[in-house]
Amino acid sequence: MQSVKLEKLDKYRWIINPTEGMRVPGIIYATHDMIDDITRDNAHIQVANVAHLPGIIKASLAMPDIHWGYGFPIGGCAAFDTDEGVISPGGVGYDINCGVRLLRTDLTRDMIENRIRELISALFNNIPTGVGSRGDLKLTIEEEKKVLKEGARWAVERGFGYPEDLERIEENGAMEGADPDVVSQRALERGREQLGTAGSGNHFLEIGYVDEIYDKEIAGVFGLRLNQITVLIHTGSRGFGYQVCDDYLKILSQYVRKAGISLPDKQLACSYFHSSEGQNYYRAMICAVNYAFANRQMITHWTRETFEKVLRMSPSDLNMKLVYDVAHNVAKVEKHIVDGKERRVIVHRKGATRAFPAGHPDVPKIYREVGQPVLIPGDMGRCSYVLVGTEKAMEETFGTTCHGAGRVMSRTQAIKSAKGRSIKQELEEKGIIVLSQDRDTLAEEMSDAYKDVSKVVDVVHMAGISRKVARIKPLGCIKG
Amino acid sequence: MKGVDPEPGLPMKNYEFFDHTADLGVIFYGRDPLDLFKNAALGLFDIMLEVEGDSEKVEAYKITVEGDDWEDLFVNWLGELIYLFYGRGLVLRKLWIDRIDKKIIEGIIYCEKFNPEYHRVKKEIKAATYHQLEVRREEDKWIGKVVFDI
């Protein structure tokens, strides 16, 4: 195993100075306490490996929730020159546009505290969650191709939600450039029955309440207030995205051999962004991005319906509004200032969230005066955060911040350490109702298996690459 | 290498898990490559599903998977089976391997259609990855080590 030396840059940043083959340094946002977990996992070596890739600009970056990932670390961010640089499926991940959306309501905690169990079990029945869960919907391939191009707009036009939802989704719920013709038949088949399903693993739907406000003014603009009931939805592009990633890892592995690109790890398979292979992956990836936006839009619609039915409230009384929807596994072409010059770059965010500041044209008009909402889900027993993007993120991290807690325990370790415990009961004692298809999932996803999200968020807040706005505590959760 | 008689149902545990922070590491075992690939196929379905009772209709499908070497073949083989389950809703019950070498595997798989009444899904697997991938002979057995993205 190669040795990679981390040096402290300042209180919240560590640097890996370029050694042979590295084109830029690696920078990890973390405190001293976090470094042991990061290095134990060899995730820092992955940060260094990414720095070898052609056309990488400024630095190979990692957020404090960094852990080992396929090729690129999870919690990683890297930008490449669109003319001389590469695009890599490993820099996006298998679950393309895995992401989070936050819904707010006009309900307060005291209004529904004794109805959580009922709501959770109704949501569990109405939203397919578990492994290989298939929706009620079976799309024709032609219809599925429309989803790939139109994203959340496809769903809204078919009655899943409101037109005003769209402006509160990154890319307005449909990223441009999707080309269904570069998607394999296999991906289309895997995606056909899974639209409108949450999936398993760390995917979830959570009812919570705002328990702390850090910035009253910005929280107000986001429509958040103390004790307000919220819903967080965390899922992605399901089997469709996994298959797109799998297909293109194979294609790009061959490309790497053909083009003679030297890689420190073959899982960094990539191709020049301007090459036809690179463009094809990018356009197929966008299809998966749009699939995921549509997926979360449909789940939002069923969530609204479930709340209305269980609580016997009208849509206007419930007033369940979308706060925002962020993608945390994605690659996008963006303009950034590098060394005083504007450059067009392809930013990879894998387990990392876009965090654009006030005034940025890609921030929806309603939020443009304060900045983009950033949603950071924690584990099911602790809390989640709403942050806001900053100018410093633009300067240091290509407008990027963390995405969640990050695992510290393997799934098998988690199951072992949960033996003899009822995670469900432990959570109920803390006032959190959970339902899951599978007992093992609850053990795998228990709080102890994750870093404390508050520590992760404190790093990005103190480092200034996003700022805390509000904290959300869970009341109930459905897991795949 | 010639095929052996297909055995009904799932064999004893011919695999074990190894630790991996984010994903699922599995080591499959076999007497020879044919046995390894067969155990890995049945083991994969054993990890993904619990089969309760006998389902109605088992159908035979021809399967051919190619690769550059043993490892590439192994990951492609597992990838093909993952796709058959998630893309086509096929649950593997038994298989007959006609031919295997490090570039190709050919045979017949006997599958039933996924039906939630008989099949309880235990674990969602996104893909078989090249990470820590190993296929090799170790004394009197063959091992196939793979990390599944889950």
Side-chain angles (χ1 to χ4, degrees), chain A residues 102-103 105 107-110 112-113 116 120 204-214 224-232 307 376-386 427 429-434 447 452-454 469-477:
Chain A
L102 176 68
L103 310 172
T105 65
L107 301 168
T108 52
R109 192 183 167 192
D110 54 315
I112 62 155
E113 214 161 16
I116 299 294
I120 286 293
F204 66 80
L205 189 145
E206 179 184 286
I207 305 176
Y209 69 97
V210 179
D211 97 307
E212 184 134 18
I213 300 264
Y214 304 97
L224 297 173
R225 54 182 188 277
L226 222 50
N227 289 316
Q228 177 182 36
I229 293 293
T230 57
V231 176
L232 260 179
F307 268 71
I376 310 295
D379 60 78
M380 57 190 176
R382 291 190 182 111
C383 56
S384 299
Y385 285 87
V386 180
L427 286 166
E429 279 159 18
K430 286 167 77 179
I432 305 160
I433 314 251
V434 287
S447 292
D452 184 349
V453 69
S454 300
V469 175
R471 185 173 71 185
I472 294 166
K473 281 262 166 91
L475 291 169
C477 182

Side-chain angles (χ1 to χ4, degrees), chain A residues 266, chain B residues 37 67-74 101-103 133:
Chain A
K266 74 173 184 185
Chain B
F37 276 65
D68 296 335
D69 50 37
W70 280 122
E71 274 148 12
D72 195 45
L73 187 68
F74 195 58
D101 62 42
K102 63 184 180 187
K103 300 251 178 192
L133 180 65

Side-chain angles (χ1 to χ4, degrees), chain A residues 13-28:
Chain A
R13 287 189 303 172
W14 299 74
I15 186 163
I16 303 166
N17 283 309
T19 51
E20 206 185 327
M22 283 174 71
R23 294 162 197 260
V24 291
I27 291 178
I28 301 175

Side-chain angles (χ1 to χ4, degrees), chain A residues 72-283:
Chain A
F72 285 59
I74 292 163
C77 169
F80 301 86
D81 186 276
T82 47
D83 295 325
E84 286 158 23
V86 295
I87 184 165
S88 173
V92 174
Y94 276 96
D95 194 359
I96 297 166
N97 191 5
C98 182
V100 194
R101 64 164 57 187
L102 176 68
L103 310 172
R104 59 182 169 90
T105 65
D106 275 356
L107 301 168
T108 52
R109 192 183 167 192
D110 54 315
M111 285 164 79
I112 62 155
E113 214 161 16
N114 55 1
R115 310 288 301 272
I116 299 294
R117 196 178 295 274
E118 213 182 323
L119 280 165
I120 286 293
S121 78
L123 288 167
F124 194 68
N125 287 331
N126 295 347
I127 296 162
T129 48
V131 200
S133 54
R134 289 153 192 234
D136 295 334
L137 212 76
K138 188 166 176 174
L139 301 170
T140 62
I141 297 286
E142 277 322 296
E143 198 65 14
E144 189 182 0
K145 287 182 175 176
K146 286 186 193 160
V147 175
L148 307 181
K149 283 187 148 176
E150 295 166 18
R153 197 174 65 232
W154 176 90
V156 168
E157 280 172 4
R158 279 149 192 83
F160 298 98
Y162 312 120
E164 74 210 49
D165 292 341
L166 298 178
E167 59 176 345
R168 293 149 191 255
I169 305 174
E170 206 169 308
E171 302 290 330
N172 297 310
M175 195 168 160
E176 271 177 46
D179 182 0
D181 293 342
V182 294
V183 169
S184 72
Q185 198 60 28
R186 298 193 151 200
L188 292 168
E189 281 173 27
R190 273 181 86 167
R192 212 146 75 92
E193 290 182 44
Q194 286 193 329
L195 193 64
T197 66
S200 71
N202 61 354
H203 294 153
F204 66 80
L205 189 145
E206 179 184 286
I207 305 176
Y209 69 97
V210 179
D211 97 307
E212 184 134 18
I213 300 264
Y214 304 97
D215 187 317
K216 214 171 163 191
E217 188 208 325
I218 296 179
V221 176
F222 293 169
L224 297 173
R225 54 182 188 277
L226 222 50
N227 289 316
Q228 177 182 36
I229 293 293
T230 57
V231 176
L232 260 179
I233 296 165
H234 179 208
T235 184
S237 52
R238 313 286 291 111
F240 181 84
Y242 314 156
Q243 191 67 42
V244 167
C245 178
D246 208 40
D247 292 340
Y248 277 94
L249 277 171
K250 288 206 169 73
I251 296 168
L252 299 195
S253 296
Q254 284 165 4
Y255 175 91
V256 164
R257 255 175 280 160
K258 202 177 71 191
I261 301 174
S262 132
L263 298 176
D265 173 359
K266 74 173 184 185
Q267 299 163 89
L268 292 170
C270 57
S271 66
Y272 287 104
F273 183 63
H274 60 69
S275 68
S276 63
E277 288 88 345
Q279 283 298 302
N280 287 351
Y281 168 65
Y282 186 57
R283 293 181 188 290

Side-chain angles (χ1 to χ4, degrees), chain A residues 337-348:
Chain A
I337 309 285
V338 182
D339 298 329
K341 252 176 54 190
E342 189 180 81
R343 286 176 76 171
R344 204 169 151 262
V345 296
I346 171 94
V347 184
H348 293 61

Side-chain angles (χ1 to χ4, degrees), chain B residues 52-110:
Chain B
E52 288 153 0
D54 291 323
S55 88
E56 296 137 31
K57 206 168 153 197
V58 173
E59 283 188 50
Y61 302 83
K62 272 189 83 161
I63 188 167
T64 306
V65 174
E66 293 177 49
D68 296 335
D69 50 37
W70 280 122
E71 274 148 12
D72 195 45
L73 187 68
F74 195 58
V75 93
N76 290 348
W77 172 244
L78 295 168
E80 181 75 15
L81 296 163
I82 291 167
Y83 155 72
L84 286 175
F85 177 59
Y86 287 108
R88 305 259 302 273
L90 295 180
V91 176
L92 178 73
R93 294 307 304 254
K94 55 185 186 180
L95 72 160
W96 169 275
I97 297 170
D98 285 320
R99 174 183 165 208
I100 183 168
D101 62 42
K102 63 184 180 187
K103 300 251 178 192
I104 190 164
I105 177 167
E106 277 179 331
I108 295 166
I109 50 168
Y110 299 86

